[in-house]
Amino acid sequence: MIAVTRIWRKLKSNKAKKTLAAENAIQVEGSLYESLDENLNKLQSIYDECSDVIFRHFFISGKEKALLIYIEGMTNIEEIDNNVLSPLMQESEVLINDVKTMMEKKVPVSNIKEMKTFFDCVQEISVGNPVIIINGEKTGFSLGLSKWEKRSVEEASAEPVVRGPREGFVETILVNTSMLRKKIKSPVLKMHSMQIGRYTKTKVVIAFMEGIADKTLIEEVKNRLNRIEIDGVWESGMIEEFIEDNPYSPFPQVLATERPDVVTSNLLEGRVAILVDGTPFSIVVPTTIYSLLQSSEDYYARFLIGTAIRWLRYVFLVISLLLPSLYVAVITYHHEMVPTTLLISMAASHEQIPFPALVEALIMEITFEALREAGVRLPKQVGAAVSIVGALVIGDAAVSAGIVSAPMVMVVAITGIASFTIPRYSAAIAIRMLRFPMILLSGTLGLLGIMLGVITIVIHLCTLRSFGVPYLSPMAPTKLRDMKDVLIRAPWWKLNTRPHLTGEYNKYRQSSGQKPGPTKGDEK
């Protein structure tokens, strides 16, 4: 019975897919007709009740009927008037029989494509390119004259740096790909384009370095993207959920960034980038937990400073995850671990508190997370003030009212500050969410509960993969050659080899023996 039910569900799912595909194809199927009126009727039925789609009738050289179709607001009207309508409508005694030759001679537009089907015409019109259809011809012509409003290139607000490039990706994919081309001026940088979404037809670009990225990795990325069947895509986070290895893990298995320099560095290490039209955030795969804890500024500062900051980040990661649960466990079960003087002070602060340490910690953590979320959602002018002032006022009022103790407020504040040191928001929020089950374990089992929680997290991390790459690589499994960019940030003249991700790889990225020092001329 169960097998029959599964087969029925599968057949029903396949039928639904075919129905959706058919509904999507019926409107735009078929080749162009010779009759201009038939083509007009077909396109008008496709764009029924689309007031922004313009149908412009005109005569070529005053003799042959033609039709220009474009979407208002997505097409460069000035270019159409000056470089399309004006030269084509100019009266001439001789009408060129070859339509393609006529378009090449009379229309001074660099990008002209031939359209044979209604589907091709609709695709070009949808992206802002006007289409010309001529009476008596089964071929239309698409003109690369799209133009729409776009945001100027600005600093990546989610990934600020003290030293480094001040440019970030924008919502227009052509601008983003050009920013990558500006940094990697080599034809080895390949960009494979595809469309995802039945109705949005969102453009997605897969960027990789040929000869550096493993071919099996590139094919795997393409296969995972090709199997996505969805009505529409308008943010890279939607694609992320379709391509990750373990969808139920709280940890991100891709690197989301809006910085071109971060994408460039990962491409040169053999990774693959996925750029989505309509969002400034690109996806880099595969990734590891250490990549999520690294900032681009680590590589722009001196290597000693970068190493120190990296270690500080690791320490505060542990504090962010474990400090509240350790405090609850010690206060509830393990008084012998606290010095006597400190224990007396903590006991005095808890004397008037009506709640146990577990409830107290949960109240403060939930309140702090609510304040942080409110600060993010409010306008920038008041968001920071509300989160800071709210934390101060509520914390002081809660202590004065005897709801929470002063040490608990301090522990939650230190924990919140520690979570801000994690450079990737997706990794930081995963740690923040895991903090709550760790508090519950410590409040019920003490240090034993914390140990069980930590062991469970480590086991989970050991089983995670990102496009086949172990999540804890190169620590587990251990790869000594790649360790120079994990616990420490080795100087650039020591980073001679690329990390080994999947399959075959281009091992060397720079020449050895480049350690700086005085030359013979300087010694004189």
Side-chain angles (χ1 to χ4, degrees), residues 464-518:
L464 273 186
R465 296 288 187 275
S466 175
F467 282 77
V469 176
Y471 203 58
L472 294 180
S473 176
M475 293 285 287
T478 304
K479 298 177 182 177
L480 296 178
R481 182 183 293 110
D482 297 340
M483 293 287 288
K484 63 181 69 174
D485 195 24
V486 176
L487 298 179
I488 63 171
R489 203 283 273 175
W492 274 110
W493 41 269
K494 281 286 188 180
L495 299 174
N496 300 327
T497 58
R498 294 184 178 88
H500 189 184
L501 301 173
T502 58
E504 297 181 1
Y505 74 115
N506 192 328
K507 183 176 181 180
Y508 297 100
R509 59 178 165 188
Q510 66 185 31
S511 301
S512 59
Q514 298 191 72
K515 180 179 179 181

Side-chain angles (χ1 to χ4, degrees), residues 120-155:
D120 294 336
C121 292
V122 170
Q123 289 289 95
E124 291 298 316
I125 294 171
S126 298
V127 298
N129 294 327
V131 170
I132 291 179
I133 300 176
I134 303 171
N135 188 36
E137 299 290 337
K138 290 186 176 182
T139 302
F141 295 91
S142 167
L143 312 175
L145 297 176
S146 60
K147 180 183 179 181
W148 53 81
E149 296 297 325
K150 58 186 178 183
R151 183 168 61 93
S152 59
V153 177
E154 300 172 350
E155 183 177 2

Side-chain angles (χ1 to χ4, degrees), residues 15-29 42 46 119 198-199 201 231:
K15 183 179 179 181
K17 290 180 180 178
K18 292 179 180 178
T19 303
L20 286 171
E23 289 177 355
N24 191 35
I26 286 173
Q27 300 179 356
V28 293
E29 65 181 1
K42 179 73 173 181
I46 292 174
F119 179 80
R198 293 190 185 96
Y199 302 110
K201 304 294 182 183
D231 285 346

Side-chain angles (χ1 to χ4, degrees), residues 190-481:
K190 305 298 181 181
M191 294 191 182
H192 176 77
S193 179
M194 63 175 63
Q195 289 183 341
I196 299 179
R198 293 190 185 96
Y199 302 110
T200 61
K201 304 294 182 183
T202 305
K203 185 177 181 180
V204 177
V205 172
I206 303 172
F208 59 92
M209 299 294 291
E210 188 177 38
I212 296 180
D214 183 24
K215 293 182 179 179
T216 56
L217 172 62
I218 299 169
E219 289 300 320
E220 180 66 19
V221 173
K222 291 180 180 179
N223 291 337
R224 294 194 187 189
L225 291 176
N226 285 326
R227 72 187 184 196
I228 298 177
E229 294 184 4
I230 189 173
D231 285 346
V233 172
W234 49 90
E235 218 289 322
S236 58
M238 303 173 67
I239 291 180
E240 177 181 340
E241 292 195 32
F242 280 100
I243 64 174
E244 58 188 357
D245 291 54
N246 188 345
Y248 296 105
S249 173
F251 293 94
Q253 293 141 62
V254 303
L255 174 64
T257 179
E258 54 179 331
R259 295 186 60 89
D261 58 328
V262 174
V263 175
T264 299
S265 64
N266 281 278
L267 289 176
L268 294 176
E269 287 184 350
R271 295 180 173 87
V272 177
I274 303 172
L275 288 77
V276 182
D277 193 19
T279 175
F281 285 90
S282 61
I283 298 174
V284 177
V285 295
T287 189
T288 64
I289 190 171
Y290 305 106
S291 298
L292 297 171
L293 298 178
Q294 295 171 359
S295 171
S296 58
E297 200 170 3
D298 294 352
Y299 300 92
Y300 304 145
R302 294 175 59 81
F303 69 93
L304 293 175
I305 305 300
T307 301
I309 293 175
R310 188 169 291 183
W311 271 101
L312 185 68
R313 203 175 289 138
Y314 291 154
V315 171
F316 275 96
L317 170 67
V318 176
I319 291 175
S320 174
L321 178 63
L322 299 180
L323 183 59
S325 54
L326 283 172
Y327 180 80
V328 170
V330 169
I331 289 298
T332 307
Y333 298 102
H334 308 283
H335 302 135
E336 69 280 0
M337 297 182 64
V338 184
T340 305
T341 306
L342 180 60
L343 181 62
I344 294 173
S345 175
M346 294 170 66
S349 65
H350 275 274
E351 187 176 358
Q352 302 298 325
I353 306 302
F355 304 111
L358 173 61
V359 177
E360 187 183 359
L362 289 175
I363 290 174
M364 286 304 300
E365 283 292 342
I366 293 173
T367 304
F368 188 84
E369 292 297 330
L371 285 170
R372 177 153 42 185
E373 187 67 14
V376 172
R377 303 304 164 199
L378 285 171
K380 292 182 179 180
Q381 293 79 1
V382 296
V386 168
S387 59
I388 295 173
V389 174
L392 292 173
V393 172
I394 292 177
D396 182 67
V399 172
S400 302
I403 299 176
V404 296
S405 62
M408 179 60 73
V409 174
M410 187 172 65
V411 167
V412 172
I414 294 173
T415 305
I417 294 172
S419 64
F420 289 139
T421 62
I422 302 175
R424 305 293 171 190
Y425 176 78
S426 55
I429 198 169
I431 298 299
R432 284 158 51 188
M433 294 300 102
L434 288 174
R435 194 185 302 152
F436 290 96
M438 292 298 296
I439 292 174
L440 292 174
L441 285 172
S442 66
T444 54
L445 298 175
L447 289 179
L448 177 61
I450 296 176
M451 293 174 62
L452 290 174
V454 171
I455 292 172
T456 302
I457 293 173
V458 173
I459 292 175
H460 175 69
L461 291 175
C462 289
T463 59
L464 273 186
R465 296 288 187 275
S466 175
F467 282 77
V469 176
Y471 203 58
L472 294 180
S473 176
M475 293 285 287
T478 304
K479 298 177 182 177
L480 296 178
R481 182 183 293 110

